Amino acid sequence: MAAAPDSFVRHAPSFKLIQAHFGLGLLGLLLFSAALVLRAADVTGFFLQPLLLGLVHLCVLGWLMPIALGALHQLVPVVFETPVRSERLAWIAFVLYAVSVPVFITGLWTSALGWALPLAGSGAATAIWLYVANLAATLARSRRRSLTGLYVLAALGWLLLAVTLGALLAWNLQRPYLPLFHVALLRAHAHAAGLGFFGLLIMGVAYRLLEMFLLSHGASERAGQVALVAVHVALLTLVPALAFQLGRPALALAAAAAAVGVAAFITQVAAIFRRRLRRRVDVSWRYTATALVYLSLTAAIGAGLALGPARQPWVDRLPLAYGFLALVGFAGSVVIGQLYKIVPFLVWLHRFAPYVGLKRVPSAAELLGERPKQVQFALMHAGLVAFLAGVLIDAAALRVCGAAAFVASSLLFVRNLGVVLARQP
Amino acid sequence: MSAAGAAALVEEAARDGLLEVHDPETDLNLVDLGLIYRLTYRNETRRLEVLMTLTTPACPAGDIIIDGVQRRLSLLPDVDGVDVELTFDPPWTPDRISPEGRAFLEG
């Protein structure tokens, strides 16, 4: 792909850096989808087992994280009007990440790599520390202050905590040394990563992207501010409560705060949506709206787990449904929906922009028709709902059918992005 | 024709030309989107001065839109150069979108 002239988006990093992250993330999506369909029948039982640890980390570190990091490197310089502090450091972090994560996931999945597991985990954690340092230094140089910036900064802080806990857990898995219960720390790690990093990042970035893509103007930020505070009350209560097993009152407070945070987030998104100038809504918006449904269900199940009855067979299945809804339902839907916006825009930027003013060029949206996106959307969410039902009623056949639809949707998604990448002026 | 009349003709041609430059996300042209604040043609220098804005200072396509304006207006006869000045005072608001632009966005 031809490089864009210097005048284009002065602060954006090289397209290759973003392509590398998105490419790794799409490979992770395909591997996760394939693994899910091949092992769908076995996705049941207690979550601390090699298969589930491997699957969850393949989903998070293989698929969601590289795309989130790539999108951050594209978005932060543009929104905050300052270039990435060091593109070289971003590449170093990427290479370390791409080398460490496959070994780490293989180690979790097989439980057969010995010391390679914590070493690879530490490599992945070091890569993420480098990313966070670089992005935090970039944000610190910006004079532009915004609600999205606060969310991104907070998300990076929670990411630091999550990967540090993750690295400690990886060493503890190989040779127990931590004075705390491993499963309790694992729960704290999962929530620091899920709600702290992905939750806050998606919320903060969603406000900015939705305003931009819906051409929405003038919505009050009050609900977004309330969401930021409420989610932090939830996290600052929940993470220590899980790590130190503080009991139900703390979990109840965290669940209530998280519910307020989710409600405020949805209120903010609704405010932006109501003030939109573009009345036509596309598949990306449908992905966002569906993600909000998954997020609400996640919060409801989380509250149920915090306050619910003593252990019953069906209650034991809820943590799997909770994690699946949060990661694949909420985060996965947002990631796919926004990639349908970001990738065409980047292709347009680097390939079609030089012709603006000289001849009629298609808009970013015209680079891919709506129909293939709609089919992919239907396949993905039919698959997710079937898989989730299969988890909740412990029906292996339903999980396999759901995973099959999901893998088909993943292949179609990659094909759709391929069509966009192949477009020429 | 008077100098003022000649300048007005070039400015009108420039405005028509900018109807062909579109925002990549909304696909609405820059004139109907309300990004063009002022077009001034200087007979003595044969240069066009464009005062324009963006929907937001952090518009990711800002540089491309400005380049597109320069490219399109440079194609006009009687124009030897184009000077684009970007301003956010006053900032863009949806009120600047023309009725045609609103109809396009709502369609």
Side-chain angles (χ1 to χ4, degrees):
Chain A
M1 182 172 288
D6 287 344
S7 60
F8 293 170
V9 190
R10 270 185 298 272
H11 303 305
S14 74
F15 191 37
K16 277 188 179 165
L17 182 68
I18 311 303
Q19 277 179 308
H21 283 85
F22 285 180
L24 184 66
L26 292 178
L27 180 63
L29 168 63
L30 291 177
L31 290 174
F32 170 68
S33 307
L36 197 65
V37 78
L38 291 173
R39 300 301 300 271
D42 305 317
V43 178
T44 182
F46 186 51
F47 60 83
L48 187 62
Q49 50 172 306
L51 168 67
L52 294 181
L53 287 180
L55 267 178
V56 166
H57 284 85
L58 183 53
C59 173
V60 173
L61 296 179
W63 168 28
L64 301 175
M65 186 66 79
I67 288 177
L69 290 168
L72 268 173
H73 281 80
Q74 179 66 37
L75 190 77
V76 163
V78 173
V79 171
F80 298 95
E81 297 176 25
T82 182
V84 170
R85 178 72 180 80
S86 167
E87 195 165 327
R88 185 184 170 85
L89 185 57
W91 275 113
I92 291 170
F94 174 77
V95 171
L96 182 57
Y97 186 92
V99 169
S100 305
V101 164
V103 179
F104 179 60
I105 293 170
T106 307
L108 284 174
W109 192 298
T110 61
S111 301
L113 293 188
W115 292 106
L117 168 71
L119 282 172
S122 300
T126 305
I128 292 176
W129 289 330
L130 295 177
Y131 276 121
V132 171
N134 202 20
L135 288 166
T138 306
L139 284 172
R141 286 205 306 193
S142 171
R143 281 174 294 175
R144 180 168 286 278
R145 298 286 174 262
S146 69
L147 185 59
T148 293
L150 279 176
Y151 269 92
V152 171
L153 207 54
L156 292 176
W158 286 104
L159 180 59
L160 267 187
L161 177 68
V163 295
T164 304
L165 282 177
L168 294 175
L169 284 164
W171 288 98
N172 199 54
L173 207 57
Q174 180 61 23
R175 178 172 293 180
Y177 67 96
L178 289 171
L180 297 171
F181 184 38
H182 187 94
V183 173
L185 266 188
L186 185 63
R187 288 192 177 109
H189 157 72
H191 285 84
L195 181 59
F197 175 62
F198 284 107
L200 287 172
L201 181 70
I202 288 171
M203 289 177 175
V205 170
Y207 303 146
R208 186 73 195 87
L209 290 183
L210 288 173
E211 280 179 346
M212 203 160 72
F213 292 139
L214 292 170
L215 202 59
S216 177
H217 206 267
S220 163
E221 290 187 336
R222 180 58 61 85
Q225 293 163 351
V226 171
L228 183 61
V229 173
V231 170
H232 273 91
V233 171
L235 281 165
L236 292 169
T237 312
L238 184 61
V239 172
L242 290 171
F244 299 105
Q245 301 179 79
L246 298 182
R248 287 202 171 195
L251 293 179
L253 172 62
V260 171
V262 168
F265 170 57
I266 292 172
T267 303
Q268 182 66 55
V269 171
I272 292 169
F273 187 72
R274 273 197 304 274
R275 298 186 73 98
R276 75 193 189 283
L277 293 171
R278 300 183 76 179
R279 306 314 293 180
R280 282 169 295 186
V281 290
D282 56 14
V283 164
S284 289
W285 165 254
R286 282 187 214 168
Y287 263 105
T288 303
T290 312
L292 295 181
V293 175
Y294 290 133
L295 178 64
S296 305
L297 289 173
T298 306
I301 292 180
L305 286 169
L307 309 168
R311 297 188 66 161
Q312 300 285 334
W314 65 271
V315 173
D316 288 346
R317 294 177 205 132
L318 286 183
L320 286 186
Y322 176 67
F324 188 76
L325 270 169
L327 294 177
V328 186
F330 172 60
S333 293
V334 170
V335 160
I336 288 188
Q338 291 310 312
L339 278 181
Y340 273 137
K341 284 289 191 186
I342 294 170
V343 171
F345 183 76
L346 289 177
V347 169
W348 186 93
L349 195 71
H350 290 269
R351 198 173 283 168
F352 290 85
Y355 299 97
V356 171
L358 296 179
K359 65 176 186 179
R360 174 82 177 97
V361 293
S363 66
E366 286 172 331
L367 298 184
L368 178 66
E370 280 292 293
R371 187 75 186 149
K373 291 190 277 189
Q374 287 166 348
V375 173
Q376 190 270 329
F377 174 87
L379 268 175
M380 177 174 169
H381 295 290
L384 292 192
V385 170
F387 191 89
L388 193 64
V391 167
L392 286 171
I393 62 171
D394 200 15
L398 205 49
R399 290 198 299 274
V400 171
C401 289
F406 183 73
V407 79
S409 81
S410 300
L411 288 167
L412 185 53
F413 178 63
V414 173
R415 174 263 176 201
N416 287 347
L417 293 189
V419 168
V420 174
L421 284 166
R423 289 294 301 266
Q424 296 289 340
Chain B
M1 185 183 296
S2 68
L9 279 179
V10 176
E11 288 160 7
E12 191 179 326
R15 192 165 294 276
D16 288 345
L18 293 181
L19 291 172
E20 297 167 15
V21 182
H22 293 239
D23 170 66
E25 180 49 37
T26 61
D27 205 24
L28 184 56
N29 69 71
L30 305 189
V31 175
D32 285 324
L33 191 52
L35 298 187
I36 307 301
Y37 283 177
R38 194 173 63 227
L39 284 165
T40 309
Y41 180 69
R42 304 286 179 197
N43 283 309
E44 57 276 22
T45 58
R46 292 168 55 93
R47 295 185 74 86
L48 254 173
E49 295 171 3
V50 184
L51 183 67
M52 64 175 289
T53 191
L54 300 168
T55 56
T56 162
C59 174
D63 296 338
I64 294 150
I65 290 172
I66 293 166
D67 285 353
V69 167
Q70 281 182 318
R71 265 189 230 111
R72 180 63 189 87
L73 297 184
S74 298
L75 298 177
L76 292 173
D78 303 321
V79 174
D80 288 349
V82 180
D83 303 306
V84 177
E85 185 185 344
L86 193 62
T87 182
F88 294 97
D89 183 21
W92 179 89
T93 71
D95 296 336
R96 304 198 76 91
I97 300 177
S98 70
E100 292 80 6
R102 281 183 186 277
F104 177 82
L105 291 171
E106 290 170 4

